[in-house]
Amino acid sequence: QVQVLESGGGLVEPGGSLRLSCAASGDIVRIDSMGWYRQAPGKRRDMVAVLLDSGSTHYPDSVKGRFVISRDSAKNTIYLQMNSLGVEDTAVYYCHARVLTSQTIAMQDYWGQGTQVIVSS
């Protein structure tokens, strides 16, 4: 199986920054994509950053210019640098990995348990 583990969440004041980390481990043969999603109370889980195997990145307008996703391919790890945080960024942030494992020839999706980000003064 594959495990996905996030870390780095916490409490930050408006205008501050946080850096989230996510490590994928297990019988991973190839990673198709990894990304970050967030879910605020009463809202759907939305994509905030995706990094494809090619290195291409995607961001919604709500975070573009403030958030940056990056990776350490050797460690199967991605990061999310979040700058200029506002109250609207408060949510549980989930890491997602779409991977090919040694146990299947088809891509499979895995999710972390989430790390909470609270932006408050």
Side-chain angles (χ1 to χ4, degrees):
Q1 294 184 353
V2 173
Q3 296 79 43
V4 179
L5 180 62
E6 312 99 327
S7 63
L11 176 65
V12 64
E13 295 184 353
S17 298
L18 281 175
R19 185 171 184 256
L20 307 182
S21 300
C22 173
S25 61
D27 299 326
I28 298 172
V29 175
R30 181 170 65 88
I31 297 178
D32 181 68
S33 67
M34 293 186 71
W36 293 96
Y37 297 72
R38 68 185 180 187
Q39 186 169 19
K43 297 184 178 180
R44 298 179 299 180
R45 185 177 298 186
D46 294 325
M47 183 272 289
V48 295
V50 170
L51 194 157
L52 304 180
D53 184 59
S54 64
S56 298
T57 58
H58 301 274
Y59 306 92
D61 290 340
S62 59
V63 308
K64 191 173 298 182
R66 299 189 298 120
F67 291 8
V68 178
I69 187 172
S70 60
R71 69 182 176 187
D72 183 340
S73 297
K75 298 180 179 180
N76 290 336
T77 299
I78 61 167
Y79 307 91
L80 185 66
Q81 179 66 46
M82 303 185 293
N83 300 318
S84 300
L85 287 165
V87 174
E88 68 275 12
D89 297 312
T90 296
V92 176
Y93 285 70
Y94 296 90
C95 181
H96 168 262
R98 187 168 188 258
V99 307
L100 179 69
T101 74
S102 61
Q103 299 176 357
T104 179
I105 61 172
M107 292 288 183
Q108 295 190 6
D109 296 301
Y110 294 89
W111 292 89
Q113 293 183 336
T115 184
Q116 189 170 22
V117 173
I118 300 176
V119 184
S120 176
S121 60

